[in-house]
Amino acid sequence: MAGRVGKDGFGDRAVENLERNGVDASLMVRAPEPTGCAFITVDRGGENAITVASGANMSAQVADLPAACFTADTVLVLQMEVPFAQSLEAARKTKAARGTVIWNVAPVPEKMTGDMVRDMLATTDYLVVNEHEALDVAVTLGVSVTDFEMAARELARSGGLICVVTAGGEGAFAFAQDGGRVHVPSLKIEPIDTTGAGDTFVGAFACLISEKAPLPRALEMACKAAALKCLKRGAQDGMPVRSALNVLNQGAE
């Protein structure tokens, strides 16, 4: 994990949590700004609302990443809560090294422009969005769309990439630049807390992609991981480990 946290208690706990869960945190930088925080509320149906107070995360720099990070084996996962220009440069370095870029457009920046979208698409292999983000990004690109499938198809075509859409209870969809479509249904559950489900999906998906798994398998495992997250309260605390997915798979066989 690469990023920036503050020299405060929140930063201490963030790094300690990564290390406790076996994540290499050596690229986490301690910045003078306070650690970015999120304040989350969850309704009785398990749906969440999140208020973000950005901090050190908005000072993250591509210069924090050594050249050794960019190889043909690199799978770079990006999102929208660090400076876009820095993420874009990291994506370009990864593509130049023939690595793979997975860009989760969450949350869609209020000031996102068509040029930003075009730059992002040009450096991305897998664009991951939910239904609303797919529409927002397509509209920002100047495309007239009426539903997320139309939006995702256009994004895949425009960027020459695979656009993955997480659609909650409908599961996940993947649209290829040639018009191909893959759909994986979600598990039937009664969610307790959906906070972090999208992040869980992206993490599991990236893991399977890094292992060269076929796209349908990567989508399937990511959907299962996200579903398990929704059965537990908390964001990171509710995210499943791989052994939980293995048990779930064995039960389905």
Side-chain angles (χ1 to χ4, degrees):
M1 174 70 78
R4 291 194 179 193
V5 295
K7 301 174 183 179
D8 49 34
F10 288 125
D12 293 341
R13 287 195 286 276
V15 174
E16 289 167 1
N17 184 50
L18 290 172
E19 295 174 337
R20 188 168 57 251
N21 283 281
V23 178
D24 183 346
S26 61
L27 295 180
M28 294 298 296
V29 174
R30 293 303 187 100
E33 299 86 357
T35 302
C37 296
F39 305 90
I40 305 166
T41 58
V42 181
D43 66 20
R44 293 180 180 178
E47 297 298 325
N48 66 77
I50 303 175
T51 300
V52 175
S54 296
N57 54 298
M58 293 308 295
S59 69
Q61 301 288 316
V62 71
D64 297 338
L65 303 176
C69 287
F70 305 105
T71 72
D73 294 325
T74 297
V75 177
L76 175 69
V77 180
L78 299 166
Q79 41 72 51
M80 306 303 289
E81 292 185 281
V82 297
F84 177 80
Q86 301 301 315
S87 291
L88 182 62
E89 183 60 23
R92 286 172 171 163
K93 286 177 175 287
T94 301
K95 294 297 290 180
R98 300 185 182 277
T100 300
V101 176
I102 299 174
W103 205 317
N104 180 209
V105 195
V108 177
E110 290 184 11
K111 297 182 179 180
M112 177 169 257
T113 66
D115 286 341
M116 289 170 65
V117 172
R118 281 183 281 273
D119 286 341
M120 178 174 63
L121 296 182
T123 56
T124 300
D125 296 285
Y126 298 92
L127 189 75
V128 184
V129 288
N130 64 25
E131 310 105 301
H132 308 294
E133 292 159 354
L135 289 164
D136 288 344
V137 175
V139 169
T140 302
L141 193 60
V143 179
S144 178
V145 293
T146 57
D147 58 57
F148 76 81
E149 289 205 27
M150 185 184 298
R153 288 185 191 279
E154 182 58 31
L155 292 172
R157 186 197 65 78
S158 297
L161 49 77
I162 293 174
C163 183
V164 175
V165 182
T166 57
E170 294 184 50
F173 299 80
F175 300 88
Q177 58 180 307
D178 62 3
R181 174 183 180 273
V182 177
H183 174 233
V184 174
S186 64
L187 296 180
K188 301 303 179 184
I189 62 168
E190 290 293 331
I192 295 174
D193 183 356
T194 58
T195 309
D199 297 323
T200 302
F201 179 97
V202 173
F205 180 78
C207 177
L208 270 291
I209 291 298
S210 74
E211 296 171 356
K212 313 299 184 184
L215 180 60
R217 177 64 171 171
L219 293 172
E220 176 192 4
M221 292 292 283
C223 281
K224 288 180 177 179
L228 289 180
K229 159 64 213 62
C230 293
L231 295 176
K232 292 187 177 181
R233 298 189 186 280
Q236 293 181 36
D237 289 343
M239 293 177 178
V241 294
R242 188 157 194 165
S243 59
L245 284 177
N246 293 337
V247 169
L248 184 62
N249 288 331
Q250 290 169 2
E253 294 175 352

